[in-house]
Amino acid sequence: MRTGTNPAKAGLPAYQSQKLGIATIVYIPSLDGYFEHSLEILKYTLASLRATTTQPFDLLVFDNGSCAQVVDELHALHKRGWIEWLILSRHNVGKAGAWNWIFSAMPNEILGYTDSDVLFRPGWLEASLEILGAFPQAGMVSAQPNFYDVMKGEGKAHLALQGDEAYHFEQYWPPKEVVDEYCLGIGASQELAATFHQNALPVVHHKRQGVRAVIGASHMQFIIPRAVARLVVPLPATRGLLHAETKALDFKIDQLGYLHLSTLRPYVFHMGNNLNPRVLNEVQQITSLGQSRATPPKKAPLQGSKWLRLLVALARTPRLKRGMVRLYHLLFQVLYAEKPGKED
């Protein structure tokens, strides 16, 4: 039976989410072999995200069956206020399966996704939002020029802009160092790297707003409007990581008439499972900017009189809080104590 009244019914405010929500999927089943440095790299991802994201955001971490040590670290980050929502799955439900949870559940107006091994650079959000704002048809925007066409020429949504005088289609030859860095991030073979160097990227130009975007986006990192994210789920999810299932995201977005776009400059970098000295130096420079920028969870707005606000402020003092808790338990016993029965 229930005794007393749930205090939340007295008007406790509910948390109001930020406009931007960012999610990452973590799968580190061990800390040896391929995954030896993965926990360290995950921390760099989260630290660089905090250091370079210039507006408040909610962070959701979906752990996809990691080992106990990684889960303990995620709990610690959650306690520190770096993570708003921490989802722990005992089983690996697959990348597409985790997307199904993320896209269905996150309440934010704009959703961001990143793999757990991505380095964020200053300006990534501004550049992404500029493209999202200039192209109302944008469904998915990455902060790195897209070199690999997941749909292999079958995408059709961008063709709707070809007859529109507001847009102009052109080619873009990225600087050699940009292509080299992309190839380094994905561990491209010499043959594949040569292909990327020899092909220009298709670009759409919004002439009035002066905004250019590469046609195509990456699964590694992107932002997506919540309205679009809700439309693409459920995605097929039968394997931990299957190309046929992850690219279903691209085809669904394209079939709905939304564009895949990306920035011309690389504002993010795929660190992978290892760091060379050059990349490690950049990682340390970026993350050092935000060592003290761990954003604590946003408090729900406090309603009520100045006396209530005063009491809340006093309750943040540990000693006074302990006294208030003891008083609360005493009052609860007084208010809801069972009435003594009559003697025979």
Side-chain angles (χ1 to χ4, degrees), residues 140 150-151 217-219 246-255 260:
M140 186 174 174
V150 173
M151 293 184 285
S218 169
H219 290 157
T246 56
K247 75 177 183 180
L249 171 66
D250 298 89
F251 279 98
K252 280 197 172 185
I253 290 175
D254 185 76
Q255 289 164 4
H260 295 70

Side-chain angles (χ1 to χ4, degrees), residues 97-120:
W99 277 345
N100 286 336
W101 285 70
I102 291 166
F103 294 160
S104 299
M106 290 190 75
N108 313 84
E109 181 180 334
I110 298 174
L111 309 184
Y113 171 76
T114 177
D115 284 353
S116 61
D117 55 0
V118 173
L119 175 68
F120 286 82

Side-chain angles (χ1 to χ4, degrees), residues 4-228:
T5 302
N6 187 333
K9 292 183 178 180
L12 180 68
Y15 177 75
Q16 302 301 301
S17 60
Q18 304 285 0
K19 180 178 181 180
L20 173 66
I22 301 174
T24 187
I25 302 171
V26 177
Y27 175 62
I28 308 176
S30 68
L31 291 175
D32 50 24
Y34 179 90
F35 300 98
E36 180 180 0
H37 303 289
S38 293
L39 179 56
E40 175 189 8
I41 290 171
L42 166 64
K43 292 180 180 179
Y44 286 142
T45 293
L46 300 184
S48 67
L49 187 59
R50 289 290 180 190
T52 60
T53 305
T54 53
Q55 71 178 54
F57 67 95
D58 295 317
L59 177 63
L60 182 150
V61 174
F62 189 105
D63 184 77
N64 216 0
S66 296
C67 63
Q69 186 174 346
V70 172
V71 173
D72 289 343
E73 288 288 341
L74 292 176
H75 275 296
L77 291 170
H78 180 265
K79 186 176 181 179
R80 287 173 57 189
W82 278 49
I83 300 172
E84 275 67 40
W85 301 306
L86 176 59
I87 299 177
L88 303 177
S89 175
R90 181 178 299 177
H91 310 286
N92 187 328
V93 299
K95 185 172 184 176
W99 277 345
N100 286 336
W101 285 70
I102 291 166
F103 294 160
S104 299
M106 290 190 75
N108 313 84
E109 181 180 334
I110 298 174
L111 309 184
Y113 171 76
T114 177
D115 284 353
S116 61
D117 55 0
V118 173
L119 175 68
F120 286 82
R121 292 165 170 155
W124 79 269
L125 180 60
E126 291 82 355
S128 301
L129 292 178
E130 181 182 49
I131 292 174
L132 194 63
F135 297 89
Q137 314 89 336
M140 186 174 174
V141 179
S142 295
Q144 180 192 65
N146 184 68
F147 288 88
Y148 181 72
D149 181 9
V150 173
M151 293 184 285
K152 300 186 182 300
E154 296 181 33
K156 303 187 184 310
H158 66 281
L159 300 179
L161 303 181
Q162 288 186 344
D164 192 329
E165 295 183 355
Y167 303 98
H168 174 67
F169 287 82
E170 54 195 54
Q171 289 187 328
Y172 167 62
W173 291 90
K176 179 180 182 300
E177 60 270 20
V178 172
V179 183
D180 286 340
E181 181 184 84
Y182 176 79
C183 294
L184 173 67
I186 66 171
S189 65
Q190 290 185 351
E191 293 77 14
L192 182 58
T195 301
F196 291 138
H197 278 286
Q198 294 166 7
N199 293 312
L201 299 179
V203 166
V204 59
H205 177 201
H206 191 297
K207 293 186 288 185
R208 182 171 60 84
Q209 297 196 28
V211 178
R212 289 178 168 83
V214 175
I215 298 174
S218 169
H219 290 157
M220 177 190 73
Q221 179 276 327
F222 57 85
I223 62 173
I224 180 172
R226 178 184 61 195
V228 178

Side-chain angles (χ1 to χ4, degrees), residues 282-308:
E282 184 184 6
V283 167
Q284 292 172 341
Q285 289 181 358
I286 291 175
T287 55
S288 65
L289 298 175
Q291 287 178 351
S292 61
R293 283 191 63 187
T295 305
K298 185 179 71 172
K299 300 293 183 182
L302 179 63
Q303 306 294 330
S305 69
K306 62 179 181 180
W307 297 108
L308 176 58

